[in-house]
Amino acid sequence: MILYDETLRQNAANGTPLAQLLTDRGIVPGIKVDKGLVALDGPGAEKVTEGLDGLARRYEEYRALGARFAKWRAVYSITDHLPSGRCIQANAWLLARYAAITQQCGLVPIVEPEVLMDGDHTQARCREVTEAVLAAVFEQLHAQGVVLEHMILKPNMVLPGQNCPQKANPQAVADATLTVFRRTVPAAVPGIMFLSGGQGDEEATANLNAMNTAAGPRPWTVSFSYGRALQAPALKIWGGKAANAKAAQQALRHRALMNGAAALGTYTAGLERAA
């Protein structure tokens, strides 16, 4: 489970540290270590991620608090001309430097380069940008001496923009995404944990399932690290009311089971109705 600095420091009502509570239940606690986005070239410009300063020192405390992995996110907006090569290279270096420091400090890095769904770009344009981003990231990971077997990749799927009139069905998403990843992601990487990135709940599940049932080589574990597409139904039901907690937990469990099936390639639309 990915925690923030604040949540990693929290305790349960009985005083048990949150990280210990998770560990006792077989959940590995991790920590988001980037410090957010800053403009690359001034207001309104492309974004890069900051947070490298003092990172090794922060890891000393995070390990003592129970963290065993870390996460760093970079984002890329798509237009006809963006992202620029400068933005791609700057974020690739930052992701790789973060990953190298993380491994040197004894934690596993989650490397998260996210090409955003915002906009009206086509799936073909997303495919072009995602391939360029991943190629740059793995070039820098190699240059920084990151051990690929000891990292996790958390990327976007290859999707048309949210405002694009041409939508992509799960098979088209799987074909485009796997083509890009076979070209750019070495087989040494143990796992690709996809973002939902603004997709609908069932849409994200169906797209993941399509990748795990597609023909052709798939040398990595292909699974999910969803935020909105996993939590949104539960949060909507809960609404901050204690009386809704049980129903919200059931909704979260349902989406987790559906995505778990998709990670195994056994998801069907019928499972949504039957569960």
Side-chain angles (χ1 to χ4, degrees):
M1 178 179 287
I2 301 168
L3 305 173
Y4 286 79
D5 181 278
E6 176 187 357
T7 48
L8 182 61
R9 301 176 189 278
Q10 291 177 349
N11 297 327
N14 64 1
T16 303
L18 177 58
Q20 185 60 52
L21 200 67
L22 294 172
T23 301
D24 290 345
R25 286 161 174 74
I27 302 170
V28 180
I31 178 73
K32 174 188 179 293
V33 294
D34 71 72
K35 293 191 173 182
L37 306 175
V38 294
L40 179 61
D41 288 310
E46 296 178 281
K47 306 297 184 183
V48 293
T49 311
E50 63 180 356
L52 286 181
D53 290 348
L55 182 57
R57 291 190 297 275
R58 284 193 282 147
Y59 276 143
E60 293 178 8
E61 183 179 15
Y62 289 150
R63 277 190 59 84
L65 289 169
R68 294 297 176 261
F69 69 89
K71 188 199 81 135
W72 179 289
R73 176 176 180 250
V75 300
Y76 309 82
S77 297
I78 299 183
T79 69
D80 290 342
H81 306 291
L82 299 178
S84 66
R86 184 160 174 254
C87 176
I88 290 173
Q89 290 299 325
N91 274 312
W93 185 87
L94 287 163
L95 280 164
R97 191 73 204 114
Y98 139 79
I101 295 170
T102 304
Q103 288 187 345
Q104 289 162 9
C105 292
L107 284 82
V108 174
I110 293 180
V111 175
E112 183 179 344
E114 180 180 5
V115 176
L116 300 173
M117 283 183 66
D118 302 337
D120 60 0
H121 55 273
T122 64
Q123 186 183 34
R125 178 62 178 151
C126 180
R127 176 173 167 170
E128 177 184 22
V129 170
T130 301
E131 187 166 340
V133 165
L134 290 174
V137 167
F138 279 95
E139 180 181 18
Q140 287 297 327
L141 288 169
H142 177 74
Q144 292 291 331
V146 174
V147 180
L148 300 184
E149 291 86 349
H150 298 162
M151 63 159 277
I152 296 293
L153 183 66
K154 184 180 177 181
N156 57 282
M157 298 179 192
V158 176
L159 300 158
Q162 288 180 321
N163 298 326
C164 179
Q166 298 173 325
K167 305 304 178 183
N169 62 37
Q171 191 58 57
V173 172
D175 290 345
T177 303
L178 290 173
T179 295
V180 168
F181 282 72
R182 287 167 184 151
R183 290 176 177 175
T184 56
V185 181
V189 174
I192 299 174
M193 308 298 153
F194 280 101
L195 295 153
S196 52
Q199 300 175 69
D201 311 332
E202 294 184 25
E203 178 189 11
T205 305
N207 287 338
L208 177 63
N209 188 75
M211 278 186 272
N212 279 301
T213 56
R218 197 169 48 251
W220 341 267
T221 295
V222 175
S223 190
F224 64 98
S225 181
Y226 293 168
R228 190 183 317 168
L230 183 64
Q231 301 170 5
L235 290 173
K236 183 177 180 181
I237 291 170
W238 175 53
K241 299 179 180 178
N244 298 333
K246 186 173 181 179
Q249 290 171 347
Q250 291 172 340
L252 179 62
R253 180 177 183 274
H254 173 71
R255 285 264 50 89
L257 288 172
M258 295 302 98
N259 288 310
L264 298 173
T266 60
Y267 169 80
T268 64
L271 285 176
E272 295 281 359
R273 314 286 88 82

